[in-house]
Structure formats: structure tokens, C-alpha cells
Amino acid sequence: MADALVPFVLEGAAVRGACARMDATAHDALAAHDYPPPLKRVLAELMAAAALLASSLKFRGSLIVQLAGPGPVKLAVIECDHALSLRATAQWDRDAVSRLPAGASLAQLAGDASQARLAITLDPEDGPLYQGIVALEAGSVATLLEHYLASSEQLESRLALAVDDGRVGGLLVQRLPGAHDDAAGAWEEAARVVGGASAQDLVAADDPTGVLAALFPTRDLRVFEARAPRFACRCSNARVEQALRIAGRDEIEAALAEAGEVVVTCEYCGRRYTYPPGQARSLFEPAAGSGGPA
Ligand SMILES: [Zn+2]
């Protein structure tokens, strides 16, 4: 079964939503690192949430979900672009994470809740950044993001996320602004369905359309064309070389002196970029100013 994200509306009601199934995306994106189980689960939840939030973006660009705290997890980053290409990375203290329960919350992973933050950044290709920050109470990922949506988008939202034995799914419903609720109680029903959906419910069917049909048996659902979330890293030789130029010649010489070559490992996908001395130094030659060596 391929990963899919299915947008939908409840006919005759001011309710829209999206339902996602992302087993392969999460598996592929998290394969580069040996994440401890609680962190892996939270990263998969954040990936499903990021795809659901990004599916309604009206611009070309990225949505970035970033958790920062004093630890055991210092940093977790999920990027999802307008085409639903996702990648993820994290920095954590293995011993400290191993002392946490398997079901550790986001707040437990991030450490002191008063210092930890969950930031959602919208990064359009041709516009200014927008960033919303959610304080990290002892809430679930879904609850935190509901707060974010209520404050930043002014949209009443309900979000449910499921990570269960390699299966990753999520369901988002939003009450559209300014519209009266034509279909009696549609929003209340949608909110109740999402609030009551178990992890099993969200990944029970093979695809999101089947999940929606089971969760809304009596509603007239209009389901739109399924989209395909997938893991894709944006790292490239050009980006790595640009980063090395910014790091500067001294930094590169220090790396060459220590290791005999410059090795850069992408923190997202784990791909290694290796530069022997001649190639590394050529990045700083005047001719490299017009786009770099081939
Ligand atoms: Zn990469």
C-alpha cells in the first residue's frame, strides 16, 4: 500500500479536513539514524502532523516543525514542502532518552517544559517567514498543534495522530470560518469523531479513504484526489559546497589537517559528502565564484 494524504469536506457543512497514511514516508525518513523508540514515535507523529498542516498551504515553500528544549531531546526538526516531501532529524542524549518510558510525551522528551518550545515556521519561496510558537505544556503533539492552529490560523481544529507498529496515520478536521453550520451538528460530530478516534481507528483500513468511510458512516463525504507524501532530502553537492564556503578556508584547512579530507554528513538523510584536499581547496579559488567546480 502506497502512502497517501486525502483531503475532504463534509458536504453541506463548513468542515474540511485531511486524512493521511504515511508508513513508508516515516520509515524512510527515520532510517538514517538509530532513533530511540520514544523519539522515533514522536518524530513519526510530527511527520504526519506536518504533512496534514502542509497539505493546506497556499504557497510554494516549506513548513518546518521544530522542537527545541534542554533535553533529553535537544532538537527535533521536520520539514515538509508544498509537494509533501518530508525529511526529519534530531539531536538527543541517548542515555537520558533511554531512561524515559516508551510512551514518553513530547514534554518529557524535551525536558523542562518551561524552557522547551515547539515552533512552526512557514517558509514561502518568495515571501517572508512566518513563525508560530507553542509553549510546551504536558500535552500530546496533537493537542499542541490544535492550540497552534487556533491561535495562528484562527481555525478551530481537531487533530489525531497514530503511530502503531510501523503504521503511521493522522486525521485533521477544521471548521471553516464565517460559515454557518448548515448540516446540523456537523462540526460537533467531526470534532467528536476525531477526539474519539483511537490509534487503531486511524490505521485500521488500508488507505485514508477507508478510514474516513469507517469514521463518518452517515456523512456525505466529498473526497479529493489523493496526494502522495514521501521522504526526500534536499541535500546536494551544491548546497554542501555553499555551506563549506560559508564555513571558511580556515575551517576547511583545520578539517584537512585532522582527517586528510573534508567529510560532511547530511544530518537528515545520513548521506556522506567527501572532498579530497584539492577539491576542498578549489572551493575557495576565484574561479569558483561563478558557480563552483563541476
Ligand atoms: Zn540529505
Side-chain angles (χ1 to χ4, degrees):
M1 186 205 64
D3 284 359
L5 183 147
V6 174
F8 66 93
V9 295
L10 297 189
E11 285 290 15
V15 178
R16 74 172 182 203
C19 187
R21 184 68 183 273
M22 300 181 29
D23 307 5
T25 305
H27 174 271
D28 295 349
L30 302 179
H33 300 287
D34 184 20
Y35 294 111
L39 175 57
K40 194 170 181 175
R41 192 196 68 250
V42 162
L43 288 172
E45 286 183 354
L46 288 171
M47 292 186 78
L52 289 167
L53 299 185
S55 69
S56 62
L57 291 182
K58 301 289 188 287
F59 59 82
R60 289 179 60 86
S62 296
L63 178 144
I64 301 138
V65 180
Q66 186 170 317
L67 171 73
V73 174
K74 308 263 182 284
L75 181 73
V77 184
I78 311 290
E79 288 184 16
C80 180
D81 73 8
H82 58 273
L84 304 185
S85 291
L86 290 109
R87 62 179 187 169
T89 189
Q91 294 167 10
W92 70 97
D93 179 321
R94 188 166 296 277
D95 290 341
V97 174
S98 73
R99 286 193 291 272
L100 294 174
S105 68
L106 196 64
Q108 284 175 296
L109 287 167
D112 184 348
S114 67
Q115 294 178 51
R117 294 288 179 273
L118 188 70
I120 290 102
T121 305
L122 303 181
D123 183 10
E125 283 175 2
D126 56 359
L129 284 177
Y130 167 84
Q131 190 171 67
I133 294 181
V134 195
L136 216 68
E137 318 90 38
S140 66
V141 171
T143 310
L144 290 169
L145 292 173
E146 285 173 0
H147 290 167
Y148 160 77
L149 289 166
S151 62
S152 71
E153 291 195 19
Q154 309 282 306
L155 284 181
E156 215 178 328
S157 306
R158 293 290 182 278
L159 176 64
L161 301 166
V163 177
D164 181 49
D165 195 22
R167 297 177 297 174
V168 179
L171 173 61
L172 172 70
V173 292
Q174 298 189 295
R175 183 181 208 171
L176 296 177
H180 291 291
D181 218 349
D182 300 318
W187 167 250
E188 286 72 18
E189 181 188 335
R192 196 169 58 243
V193 164
V194 174
S198 69
Q200 291 293 332
D201 293 336
L202 294 173
V203 294
D206 276 347
D207 62 73
T209 308
V211 169
L212 289 171
L215 288 175
F216 295 98
T218 62
R219 284 285 169 186
D220 192 4
L221 280 177
R222 192 201 302 178
V223 171
F224 299 99
E225 190 179 353
R227 303 180 60 192
R230 67 186 185 286
F231 162 63
C233 195
R234 295 209 298 275
C235 67
S236 65
N237 278 304
R239 283 173 188 259
V240 170
E241 287 166 18
Q242 182 61 22
L244 291 177
R245 286 192 190 95
I246 290 168
R249 189 184 277 271
D250 291 350
E251 192 100 351
I252 299 311
E253 288 299 338
L256 289 173
E258 192 181 321
E261 59 185 6
V262 178
V263 179
V264 178
T265 303
C266 175
E267 62 190 359
Y268 288 88
C269 69
R271 184 174 160 192
R272 281 163 56 91
Y273 293 85
T274 304
Y275 296 87
Q279 201 182 342
R281 291 188 177 112
S282 75
L283 297 173
F284 298 93
E285 286 163 9
S290 60

